[in-house]
Amino acid sequence: QKSIPDLPLRMTHKATCGPTAAIAEIIGPILEALANCCQLSLAQASNDIARFCAAYDFALEFEFGAIDVTDAFWQMSKPICLNRVRRLFRRYPQAGLVFGISEDALIKAIDLIWNDNFFTALGPNGPIYGKINGCTMGNVISMALCRIYYFCSLEEAIALTGSQNFVYAKSGGDDALIIAWSKDVLTDLIDTLNNLPDNWKYEFRSPDRQGNLPFFDCNLKKVYLDRSN
């Protein structure tokens, strides 16, 4: 086993034979259920966005964009992540009741899986690497943890801005879609996010010159309707 802490490696195969693989298969659905409880949760499909746009009467001009996180999995802080899982578990205790797991047992399981972050690179027969910092990309629980991590950062940033001008804010993983009434609101949010002590770097992605913004499996486009008729 080789330990290479600072190379930008990407996982090509799931760690299905590691010591904690069986635990990860059990914990994964619990974390997904916990993440889905959050009001900032966004299914990775266009339905959520389409329903919102169809129901909302945009009488005023609005601004929108996506906020991406660079190397989200590698840059996650384990202590912060575990604290945020605890916070959501206490806020949505139904997740623990449904799966019959306690808060302490869930945190201990995540800690074990996080530390067992070995993975193969360059094919199934390639060398085995261990990532010292961050959560292993491709692990069964990694995406759910990333979503929970982002939810909490986004909630904290929105609370700190004190703005009521967000009409839509949802996160689907390591990126989020934001719709607001002004560009200043979006700028303030991204500045606030980058000042949070969460070890993440946020980048704002605005629509192109034609007003198009690809986000997950849909393409958003700003269109102005003539309401005179």
Side-chain angles (χ1 to χ4, degrees):
Q1 292 179 343
K2 299 180 181 180
S3 197
I4 305 177
D6 296 316
L7 293 181
L9 301 176
R10 288 293 179 268
M11 185 175 180
T12 57
H13 294 271
K14 290 184 178 180
T16 57
C17 58
T20 62
I23 302 176
E25 292 289 347
I26 298 172
I27 297 302
I30 301 174
L31 292 174
E32 285 292 344
L34 194 61
N36 289 335
C37 288
C38 183
Q39 68 181 51
L40 291 176
S41 175
L42 170 65
Q44 295 188 17
S46 58
N47 292 337
D48 188 275
I49 302 169
R51 281 195 299 267
F52 169 79
C53 293
Y56 209 104
D57 183 16
F58 286 105
L60 299 174
E61 183 177 348
F62 63 93
E63 298 289 339
F64 67 98
I67 301 179
D68 300 328
V69 180
T70 304
D71 290 331
F73 293 93
W74 306 126
Q75 299 299 329
M76 275 199 294
S77 163
K78 185 170 73 170
I80 294 175
C81 187
L82 295 181
N83 284 334
R84 289 178 171 183
V85 171
R86 284 188 183 276
R87 190 191 315 168
L88 278 186
F89 191 91
R90 293 171 184 175
R91 188 189 303 177
Y92 305 110
Q94 63 269 30
L97 295 175
V98 169
F99 289 94
I101 189 171
S102 68
E103 176 185 323
D104 288 340
L106 178 61
I107 296 300
K108 182 177 289 187
I110 296 171
D111 187 49
L112 287 172
I113 298 167
W114 190 300
N115 292 333
D116 178 34
N117 60 358
F118 293 102
F119 60 96
T120 59
L122 307 175
N125 297 318
I128 299 176
Y129 296 101
K131 184 66 179 170
I132 293 179
N133 296 321
C135 188
T136 302
M137 187 175 184
N139 193 293
V140 175
I141 68 170
S142 296
M143 179 54 75
L145 288 177
C146 189
R147 292 172 66 202
I148 290 172
Y149 203 87
Y150 203 148
F151 296 156
C152 293
S153 288
L154 199 56
E155 281 184 340
E156 186 176 344
I158 291 175
L160 287 172
T161 60
S163 176
Q164 301 299 317
N165 291 318
F166 298 105
V167 293
Y168 187 90
K170 291 291 182 75
S171 169
D174 58 354
D175 51 8
L177 174 66
I178 309 294
I179 302 177
W181 289 125
S182 73
K183 192 170 184 178
D184 289 342
V185 172
L186 296 176
T187 301
D188 190 24
L189 178 63
I190 189 70
D191 289 343
T192 303
L193 282 168
N194 278 318
N195 283 315
L196 292 178
D198 61 1
N199 207 42
W200 269 8
K201 176 66 177 177
Y202 301 85
E203 296 181 357
F204 184 71
R205 181 161 51 88
S206 57
D208 61 22
R209 293 183 178 179
Q210 287 73 42
N212 296 301
L213 179 70
F215 188 79
F216 286 136
D217 61 348
C218 59
N219 180 63
L220 304 177
K221 184 177 180 66
K222 183 185 290 187
V223 177
Y224 296 102
L225 302 177
D226 183 0
R227 298 177 180 270
S228 61
N229 297 321

